[in-house]
Amino acid sequence: MQPAFPPARAALACLLMTSALVAPAGFAAGQGIGATCVMTGDACAISFTGAPATGADGTGGAGGSGNAGANIFTSIATATTYNDYVDPTGPSYVSPVNVTTSGSNGANGNSGDVDHENGGAGGAGGAGGYIDMSVSPAVSGASSSVASGLTAFSMGGVGGSGAGGSSVEDGNIGVTSAGGDGGDVSVTAGGSFTSAYGRGADIRSIGGTGGAGPWETSAGYPNGGDGGAGGNGEAT
């Protein structure tokens, strides 16, 4: 899935192609190596999200950190033209070639009480995985919507929010955590990718949003807690 973009003229993405499917260093088995299309309507979609974070345990407990999205290393070579998919139940779109990997969100901390006066910290957002993909010149994509002709996103997860401390015991607010970093994204393609209202190709590494600061006040935090830092994007 991807965010909508304002209407624009159809764009054309013509990039160089690489063909050898040799996994780069650091790509472990089972991490999206050789991932293949999951057809969503007429769209080719490859998508991974990190496993959910472990929830906070007990009063004042800290939330678990989000887990990293899988690394994706793949080649799309079957000669065909893919088309975008528009979800009929809501305003969401899938690009003709849509490859994404996302870290999961950090879990929120639990609030304190008279026995555990301090609030729990939120968990950090998980990192987005790396994407290394090649697309044959025989593959093309045509979008009739705001979806891009080709999308490749690596996205960090949202940071977890810290929780309020005990108002009775003037406990401290738990620390809110940062969003996860996006991963490196490398795409080589030789086909034509067009969009009637979006971009021909949309390739991004996106840091996750920092967690929201808790609204609860305490003796040391009369205005509530600070939000977490956003994650970093990486090279594309």
Side-chain angles (χ1 to χ4, degrees):
M1 301 291 178
Q2 66 175 43
F5 294 101
R9 291 184 303 170
L12 180 66
C14 291
L15 310 174
L16 296 176
M17 182 200 73
T18 58
S19 58
L21 191 62
V22 179
F27 275 64
Q31 289 184 303
I33 304 300
T36 58
C37 296
V38 175
M39 296 304 298
T40 305
D42 292 327
C44 163
I46 299 173
S47 181
F48 292 94
T49 301
T54 301
D57 183 16
T59 302
S65 295
N67 292 289
N71 295 326
I72 297 173
F73 184 74
T74 189
S75 177
I76 300 173
T78 302
T80 191
T81 297
Y82 295 105
N83 301 109
D84 59 318
Y85 174 77
V86 180
D87 187 344
T89 65
S92 59
Y93 308 87
V94 179
S95 290
V97 174
N98 200 96
V99 179
T100 63
T101 174
S102 305
S104 61
N105 297 339
N108 296 333
N110 280 347
S111 298
D113 63 10
V114 293
D115 296 317
H116 303 84
E117 67 261 25
N118 295 327
Y130 295 90
I131 297 175
D132 191 334
M133 61 180 288
S134 62
V135 184
S136 164
V139 176
S140 60
S143 170
S144 59
S145 68
V146 297
S148 301
L150 179 151
T151 290
F153 283 0
S154 174
M155 298 169 283
V158 177
S161 294
S166 169
S167 59
V168 176
E169 299 293 334
D170 285 330
N172 291 323
I173 288 173
V175 175
T176 292
S177 288
D181 294 337
D184 291 333
V185 180
S186 175
V187 178
T188 53
S192 170
F193 295 91
T194 62
S195 176
Y197 301 102
R199 302 174 180 178
D202 195 7
I203 301 168
R204 306 192 202 187
S205 173
I206 307 169
T209 302
W215 63 267
E216 293 97 335
T217 61
S218 71
Y221 299 87
N223 298 313
D226 295 330
N232 297 309
E234 300 295 340
T236 60

